Amino acid sequence: MASRSDLDANTLLTYLGLPFDYDPSPTTAPVPFLAKHLCQLPSNLLHFFSAITTPQERTAVLLIRNRRFNFTQSDPPELRFPAAKRQWPMLWEGAEHAADEDAREEKEWADTTFLGGKGKAFVGKLGTLLGEYEEERQMERARQARHGRQEELIPEEEDERSDDDDLSGSGTPESAEAVQGLFLRRVREQFIYGQLEWDLYDKLDWDDSWDREDRDAEDHWFDNDE
């Protein structure tokens, strides 16, 4: 007796007018099959692939990556800072502490290695200064990163005052904005590449309303991946 997956695969192949021994097979080679036939299948049949592929595996399909990219460009509430911080707190903690860690390492080098650790008073001041310089460089890298790709990072909402208050140790509003920018960029990149725990993938990946006629921006985004 044929299994449920075989029956579902046969339904797909019948819909496309393909033989049951078609290669690539939708069951044994689902990603290559999607790459060839995604745009030919309706969403109700495409949900078959949610059960046999992961969001990260489906990232290999350019059309799916483009749909995710277009979604991030639509300014969805789910990917704005307040909601994203609640949804993925571990990513927020990583972005928040990245600049602090770089600054700490430079200060530690100055305190323990520079001049063999001699001249404690001078070295201590140098370590503090290097730490401050590293924080400034981190902020500058964040500003450059926001303009390094086609997409624009979503500005924080003015009424979310509590989120700004959580940035203890960030120093200035500019540094708080830089850390938020790094976090949002990380969330968006990991979302596009299927690395987030999120059930939205199984809806978005099969939704052709996110397809666009003009894909110049998306193709530019993925130039380095092809």
Side-chain angles (χ1 to χ4, degrees), residues 14-75:
T14 300
Y15 180 88
L16 295 170
L18 299 172
F20 290 165
D21 61 351
Y22 178 76
D23 185 34
S25 165
T27 52
T28 61
V31 173
F33 183 89
L34 283 171
K36 294 184 68 173
H37 300 291
L38 173 62
C39 61
Q40 299 173 296
L41 291 167
S43 60
N44 63 303
L45 294 181
L46 285 168
H47 281 283
F48 163 76
F49 294 98
S50 293
I52 62 174
T53 62
T54 66
Q56 192 163 6
E57 289 172 339
R58 298 196 295 269
T59 301
V61 181
L62 178 61
L63 185 56
I64 287 178
R65 293 205 307 271
N66 284 341
R67 289 177 179 179
R68 296 173 185 174
F69 174 85
N70 292 338
F71 176 76
T72 67
Q73 294 297 92
S74 70
D75 191 17

Side-chain angles (χ1 to χ4, degrees), residues 115-126:
L115 295 181
K118 297 178 181 179
K120 293 292 186 179
F122 172 74
V123 170
K125 292 178 181 179
L126 174 64

Side-chain angles (χ1 to χ4, degrees), residues 10-205:
N10 291 342
T11 299
L12 293 171
L13 295 170
T14 300
Y15 180 88
L16 295 170
L18 299 172
F20 290 165
D21 61 351
Y22 178 76
D23 185 34
S25 165
T27 52
T28 61
V31 173
F33 183 89
L34 283 171
K36 294 184 68 173
H37 300 291
L38 173 62
C39 61
Q40 299 173 296
L41 291 167
S43 60
N44 63 303
L45 294 181
L46 285 168
H47 281 283
F48 163 76
F49 294 98
S50 293
I52 62 174
T53 62
T54 66
Q56 192 163 6
E57 289 172 339
R58 298 196 295 269
T59 301
V61 181
L62 178 61
L63 185 56
I64 287 178
R65 293 205 307 271
N66 284 341
R67 289 177 179 179
R68 296 173 185 174
F69 174 85
N70 292 338
F71 176 76
T72 67
Q73 294 297 92
S74 70
D75 191 17
E78 299 93 335
L79 295 182
R80 295 175 187 169
F81 176 72
K85 180 184 174 184
R86 290 191 298 269
Q87 181 75 17
W88 300 288
M90 295 301 294
L91 286 180
W92 165 243
E93 291 177 8
E96 187 179 26
H97 295 301
D100 292 342
E101 180 64 19
D102 287 343
R104 183 195 63 78
E105 289 178 356
E106 285 214 3
K107 184 176 185 301
E108 184 177 273
W109 170 83
D111 288 343
T112 61
T113 306
F114 181 68
L115 295 181
K118 297 178 181 179
K120 293 292 186 179
F122 172 74
V123 170
K125 292 178 181 179
L126 174 64
T128 300
L129 184 62
L130 285 175
E132 292 172 353
Y133 284 167
E134 177 57 30
E135 290 177 353
E136 292 176 2
R137 289 196 297 271
Q138 184 74 15
M139 290 161 52
E140 180 60 26
R141 287 195 294 268
R143 284 193 293 270
Q144 293 175 356
R146 291 201 302 275
H147 301 290
R149 300 265 193 165
Q150 289 290 324
E151 68 171 326
E152 295 179 358
L153 293 174
I154 303 169
E156 60 193 275
E157 299 205 5
E158 294 180 358
D159 59 350
E160 296 292 338
R161 304 301 299 177
S162 60
D163 293 314
D164 291 341
D165 294 339
D166 290 341
L167 298 173
S168 58
S170 59
T172 66
E174 181 175 298
S175 64
E177 180 185 359
V179 176
Q180 288 187 21
L182 287 171
F183 166 69
L184 289 174
R185 181 173 183 78
R186 182 177 297 178
V187 166
R188 289 181 172 208
E189 289 182 344
Q190 291 200 17
F191 166 70
I192 289 173
Y193 288 97
Q195 296 171 346
L196 296 180
E197 294 291 333
W198 205 9
D199 56 8
L200 185 63
Y201 286 114
D202 290 335
K203 177 181 178 181
L204 178 66
D205 287 358

